[in-house]
Amino acid sequence: MEHVKEKKVSMGIATAAMLALAAVLIGGFVVLKISTHVVFILAIIAIGIIALISGFNKTDLQEFFVEGCKSAVLVALILMTVGTVIGSWIISGIVPTIIYYGLEILSPKVFLVVGFFICCIISFFVGSSYSAIATLGVAFMGIGLGLNINPGLTAGMVVSGAIFGDKMSPFSDTTNLSPAVAGTDIFRHINSMLYTTVPAMILTAVGYTIIGFSIDGNAMDTSVIDAINGTLEAHFTISPILLIVPLLTIVLALLKMPPLIALLLSAIAGTIAAFIFQGGHYDYQEILNALGNGFSIDSGNSDVDRLLNRGGVMGMMSTVSLALLALGLGEMLQKMGVLSVMLQKMEMFIRSPRSLVLTTLATCLVTTVLTASQYIAILLPGQVMKNAYTKQGVQKRVLSRTLEDGGTIFTFLIPWSTTGIFVSGVLGVEVLEYVPYAFLAILCPLIAVFYACTGIAIFKETEELQEKDA
């Protein structure tokens, strides 16, 4: 089989494969609006047909796809463990406690900057930008309207905060997916993202603080916030002691504990906390089942229900199956030689680490525009660019960071992307209305471009070897 795997398609076949892929993805996502999983299956079938025409046999295709699935095993295990962490942290009252105390500190003059940080915190610990937008985002939109704040500005603040968690949280699917595709581990990936995300977060906070000076001091209608916190108090024991568990997770990360083990320990700690603090609210079956099936509640408050009804191993299986399909497809393209052939043409633009990062960002943008999918905008550029980073002697954590600065973020800025459609539908604000105020979404790619042009935070492989020797 080895001689077959070395076979490469021609530039014409590679171009036909990419055009077929684009046609299926655009047709599936934009025109037919069908399930992401179905679109990937159709894409795999289309690429498989082209592979058969090109001389590969059915056994080759099966081997290629299975090989790609093997590379997804670790990320699948991590995602399932993340599900247990989310379920345990919700039923233990950890997530409700963070939400409760975060909402308590709101005041009119600092609405934008505090709202931004609250969205950052909640999206980080929940690990989902969608959940933060669909719950707190809706509440903040109502408050902003009561304060006569431009809806686009409020929506931009919510999106900026939600993106922070989507990028930085170890519980986020994209934060796990990007290092898996790039070939690095999650903690090195998060460490690398600090270089673009932290400056962007600081500048974003400064921007919202300055804008906040123009907001008058009229009394803020906090009925929505009061309703959320009242519901949380009725169904959970709220205690600052519960925050010890998130602190434990941070300590494990600093100690460079393997991600799978660190997350598993966090889930165990959350479960123990649930038995100690929430025994009066939930029995042992509900607590333990939250690890597998996630947390479920009918509190009478739709905002609280949308935020908390999630998690568990089963809650992550959709993402796990998507990772298997996507990485299997990527491996087919790789083994057929489609990606290497396309990369050879792209290499005329890649003469330095600077052009490497800029090309990665451009590839993420084009992929987002063509496919409207956040996952594909991470997976395909990651597969295409991985070898180029090795050739340039640049660490894979730079690639994983750039995939997030591009692939994760651009979907919030494109009106016809699945993410843009979701945000617009939930917040009731058109994408082009909130984009000018989504400072974090704008700043992260710009900072990435600045680093590429100056060489800042473009880590070389020699530096990694020196760190290991030390």
Side-chain angles (χ1 to χ4, degrees):
M1 281 300 300
E2 196 63 35
H3 68 284
V4 177
K5 291 184 180 181
E6 291 176 356
K7 179 180 177 180
K8 304 296 181 184
V9 298
S10 65
M11 183 61 195
I13 295 295
T15 302
M18 295 306 291
L19 289 175
L21 183 61
V24 172
L25 297 177
I26 294 174
F29 287 122
V30 180
V31 180
L32 300 178
K33 302 184 186 301
I34 56 180
S35 163
T36 302
H37 293 76
V38 175
V39 173
F40 269 111
I41 291 172
L42 293 176
I44 291 168
I45 292 172
I47 296 301
I49 292 173
I50 291 175
L52 291 173
I53 294 174
S54 303
F56 295 94
N57 60 48
K58 294 183 289 294
T59 304
D60 297 334
L61 298 186
Q62 178 174 287
E63 273 202 22
F64 298 163
F65 187 80
V66 171
E67 193 66 29
C69 291
K70 287 179 181 178
S71 67
V73 170
L74 180 58
V75 69
L77 291 173
I78 290 176
L79 286 169
M80 287 189 287
T81 308
V82 164
T84 66
V85 173
I86 294 172
S88 68
W89 278 29
I90 292 175
I91 200 166
S92 65
I94 295 169
V95 171
T97 293
I98 294 169
I99 295 172
Y100 181 89
Y101 287 121
L103 294 177
E104 283 290 299
I105 64 175
L106 275 175
S107 64
K109 276 293 184 183
V110 294
F111 167 69
L112 287 173
V113 66
V114 173
F116 167 65
F117 280 120
I118 289 175
C119 286
C120 287
I121 293 169
I122 299 305
S123 62
F124 179 86
F125 285 104
V126 174
S128 169
S129 59
Y130 278 27
S131 292
I133 290 169
T135 53
L136 290 180
V138 174
F140 286 143
M141 288 301 296
I143 295 169
L145 289 172
L147 293 171
N148 294 319
I149 298 175
N150 178 354
L153 175 56
T154 303
M157 175 271 287
V158 170
V159 167
S160 290
I163 287 175
F164 177 85
D166 210 16
K167 288 189 76 214
M168 298 300 295
S169 174
F171 310 140
S172 167
D173 48 7
T174 58
T175 308
N176 285 278
L177 193 59
S178 295
V181 173
T184 186
D185 68 73
I186 186 172
F187 291 131
R188 290 179 62 79
H189 169 58
I190 291 175
N191 173 269
S192 182
M193 284 199 296
L194 292 173
Y195 288 86
T196 53
T197 308
V198 171
M201 182 180 68
I202 293 172
L203 291 173
T204 298
V206 170
Y208 291 143
T209 300
I210 293 173
I211 294 174
F213 291 150
S214 64
I215 299 176
D216 62 38
N218 292 334
M220 181 168 54
D221 180 9
T222 60
S223 60
V224 175
I225 302 300
D226 291 339
I228 291 175
N229 277 353
T231 303
L232 293 177
E233 284 184 303
H235 292 86
F236 298 92
T237 298
I238 305 297
S239 172
I241 299 176
L242 287 166
L243 300 180
I244 292 175
V245 177
L247 291 176
L248 170 65
T249 304
I250 295 172
V251 170
L252 293 175
L254 294 174
L255 293 175
K256 297 185 178 180
M257 184 80 66
L260 195 60
I261 297 175
L263 292 169
L264 183 59
L265 291 175
S266 297
I268 292 172
T271 303
I272 293 172
F275 279 111
I276 295 173
F277 288 89
Q278 310 302 335
H281 296 280
Y282 306 100
D283 59 33
Y284 75 94
Q285 289 180 326
E286 290 173 308
I287 292 173
L288 294 177
N289 282 336
L291 298 172
N293 300 324
F295 181 77
S296 179
I297 189 175
D298 184 6
S299 66
N301 185 309
S302 59
D303 289 332
V304 171
D305 293 348
R306 280 197 300 268
L307 181 61
L308 300 184
N309 287 345
R310 62 191 312 270
V313 173
M314 295 308 298
M316 302 303 294
M317 292 312 295
S318 176
T319 303
V320 168
S321 58
L322 183 59
L324 291 171
L325 291 172
L327 290 174
L329 173 61
E331 192 70 16
M332 288 175 64
L333 293 170
Q334 176 109 8
K335 287 294 197 296
M336 288 169 59
V338 171
L339 299 181
S340 60
V341 169
M342 300 302 293
L343 180 59
Q344 287 174 2
K345 293 298 180 181
M346 294 174 61
E347 281 181 344
M348 67 179 67
F349 303 105
I350 303 174
R351 302 297 183 187
S352 65
R354 177 183 63 184
S355 58
L356 182 65
V357 173
L358 294 177
T359 302
T360 304
L361 288 171
T363 305
C364 288
L365 178 59
V366 170
T367 305
T368 303
V369 170
L370 290 176
T371 69
S373 171
Q374 188 179 59
Y375 294 114
I376 301 174
I378 292 172
L379 287 163
L380 289 186
Q383 291 281 357
V384 169
M385 302 301 298
K386 189 189 302 184
N387 291 335
Y389 277 75
T390 300
K391 289 182 180 180
Q392 289 289 334
V394 177
Q395 292 182 26
K396 296 299 193 303
R397 59 173 168 160
V398 178
L399 170 58
S400 65
R401 181 185 74 205
T402 307
L403 292 175
E404 292 256 47
D405 290 333
T408 297
I409 286 180
F410 288 148
T411 53
F412 287 89
L413 307 179
I414 305 299
W416 56 86
S417 73
T418 53
T419 305
I421 293 169
F422 169 82
V423 174
S424 178
V426 170
L427 300 184
V429 177
E430 295 297 327
V431 173
L432 296 181
E433 289 183 50
Y434 73 69
V435 163
Y437 307 107
F439 299 150
L440 191 78
I442 297 171
L443 287 168
C444 279
L446 290 179
I447 292 172
V449 170
F450 173 74
Y451 285 168
C453 294
T454 60
I456 298 173
I458 306 299
F459 309 111
K460 301 298 181 62
E461 291 290 356
T462 53
E463 296 170 1
E464 183 174 25
L465 291 174
Q466 290 171 358
E467 289 175 7
K468 289 181 178 178
D469 293 339

